[in-house]
Amino acid sequence: MAINAAQASDELRFDGRGAPGATATAAAPRKVGKDELNRVVLASVVGSFVEWFEFSVYGYLASVLGKVFFPASAPGTQLIASLAAFAIAFFARPFGGIIFGPIGDRLGRKQVLTVTILMMAVATFAIGLIPSHDTIGMAAPVLLVLLRLLQGISAGGEGSGAAIYVAEYCSDKRRTAITSWIEVGCISGFAFGATITTVLTTFFTQEQIYAWAWRVPFLLALPLGAIGLYIRKRLEESPAFEAVSENKKTHANAGWNYLFSKCLRLVLVSCGIIIVTNVTLYTVTTYIPTYLISTLTIDAKAGFLMSLGPQLFLIAMIPVMGALADRITRKRLMLFGSFGVLIFAIPCFNMLVTGDYAVKVAALLILNLCLAALLGCIYSIIPALFPTQVRFTGMAVSYNVAVALFAGTAPMLNAWLIQQTGNKMMPAYYLMFGAVLGIIGLIYTRDNTGQPMPGDQPRPE
């Protein structure tokens, strides 16, 4: 799998481990002031908050949506069918990567981010308008799946675009700390979804939730999306993209052939790192609230409240871990998080199954701490693998394929495995599987913390 050390056709150099070196011909990027950088970070945080609130709220309401859209099925089958509709959006994400990756590399990062937030807002709002199965029959779940596909295509461009956009703006020495704030926006969106769901279960009866109240979080998508779109429309293109666009020879080499002939090893390494991060993310933040309610039969309100505190802890720890990674390297911190998941998955799920309220919360705190170590680094380590002219395509493809195959399916797969085996520990085993793949990917990663990204000129403070 190693790539021979040779000068690529666009004057990018490769070392013996397949990592692209700095380009000798890249134009110097324009200087970025502190105020402009702050606007870029704020826009990415707000946009990510909106995107992931809209995308994740479905996961929190999976058991409710199962009864609304699949009422004829048994309760266990309802949940699996609803989670399958949740997973279908992840299967659409690679198509989003295929569509938006080349657009981002050819036309610019900002263009993609404008389209994705609009697409997500419209699709999510439309879910809130779908009549129930009792009203229009099979057309209801069909419409649900179609709109989830649109959400998935949008998400396929959003995560990669936001990460690359910010990573190309910030300084080499603080790249991890600054990009970690994007994940703060993402997880805040998850937490806001959990908060809204908690409010629904607190102030409305089950009959009201099933009848109409479940629609409220989805209908919030339109005003939230409008806010995010307004902020993003006021931004400029990233300096690194502008610089590589001016170099016609380098920019002309952007494309699928270059990616898979020169950067295939990087794509595979990226997939491993993404798998451990997102299997942990979607198990801990999206599936466990459902697991507590449906598998451990905890009261819905108590289950959501139990998950909310550890999620707030996660949000607080992500920027701390990002700043720490800039000191001790991203690779070391992500290995710490991956080994933590591998070691603590079984003990933590034992605590969830057998412990009292305090013990369950402690288990969630441990898992969220490991997750924070991964999330604090993921949006800096992946963009830094790929050269500028294929950065968006490389990250979008590897990120979305890995998430579609392993992470987005985690809630559905875990629910199905528990139903088939009766073993409540199945999610722990799946977490361990993801951790092993992540550790392998990290071992073969060339860490460049504090250094310019491949193909970019150095970016000082």
Side-chain angles (χ1 to χ4, degrees), residues 71-315:
S73 305
T77 306
Q78 283 179 352
L79 178 60
I80 292 172
S82 181
L83 291 175
F86 178 77
I88 199 72
F90 289 88
F91 290 118
R93 284 183 62 158
F95 295 99
I98 291 169
I99 294 167
F100 290 120
I103 292 173
D105 282 328
R106 292 283 183 179
L107 302 181
R109 300 18 174 154
K110 177 191 170 183
Q111 305 300 325
V112 171
L113 292 174
T114 301
V115 173
T116 55
I117 195 168
L118 180 62
M119 184 183 295
M120 180 67 80
V122 171
T124 307
F125 179 78
I127 289 176
L129 299 179
I130 301 175
S132 68
H133 186 282
D134 292 340
T135 303
I136 60 172
M138 281 302 297
V142 169
L143 288 172
L144 176 67
V145 168
L146 289 175
L147 291 171
R148 285 293 293 167
L149 287 171
L150 283 180
Q151 284 187 314
I153 291 172
S154 169
E158 170 64 26
S160 302
I164 291 167
Y165 189 63
V166 175
E168 291 179 342
Y169 256 100
C170 55
S171 69
D172 298 326
K173 290 186 177 180
R174 298 186 60 224
R175 181 165 289 117
T176 319
I178 294 174
T179 55
S180 69
W181 283 96
I182 306 171
E183 283 289 9
V184 171
C186 295
I187 306 305
S188 297
F190 275 104
F192 185 58
T195 302
I196 293 295
T197 307
T198 303
V199 170
L200 289 181
T201 56
T202 301
F203 293 100
F204 297 98
T205 65
Q206 273 198 347
E207 291 75 14
Q208 290 173 321
I209 292 173
Y210 291 133
W212 61 270
W214 68 268
R215 301 179 185 274
V216 173
F218 295 95
L219 298 178
L220 286 175
L222 207 59
L224 290 175
I227 294 170
L229 182 63
Y230 173 78
I231 294 173
R232 286 188 172 179
K233 289 283 286 184
R234 298 167 64 86
L235 300 177
E236 296 185 42
E237 190 50 77
S238 83
F241 176 81
E242 289 177 344
V244 79
S245 297
E246 292 172 8
N247 185 338
K248 291 184 172 57
K249 182 180 179 182
T250 302
H251 196 55
N253 284 325
W256 297 106
N257 182 60
Y258 183 89
L259 178 68
F260 289 110
S261 64
K262 301 294 184 182
C263 305
L264 178 59
R265 184 181 189 279
L266 304 180
V267 171
L268 297 176
V269 165
S270 176
C271 285
I273 299 171
I274 291 161
I275 287 168
V276 62
T277 304
N278 285 276
V279 165
T280 307
L281 170 65
Y282 287 103
T283 300
V284 173
T285 62
T286 302
Y287 176 65
I288 281 184
T290 300
Y291 174 81
L292 294 172
I293 296 165
S294 299
T295 303
L296 303 186
T297 63
I298 293 174
D299 175 71
K301 177 182 174 182
F304 286 122
L305 285 174
M306 195 180 298
S307 302
L308 186 58
Q311 278 195 13
L312 296 176
F313 170 74
L314 171 63
I315 293 168

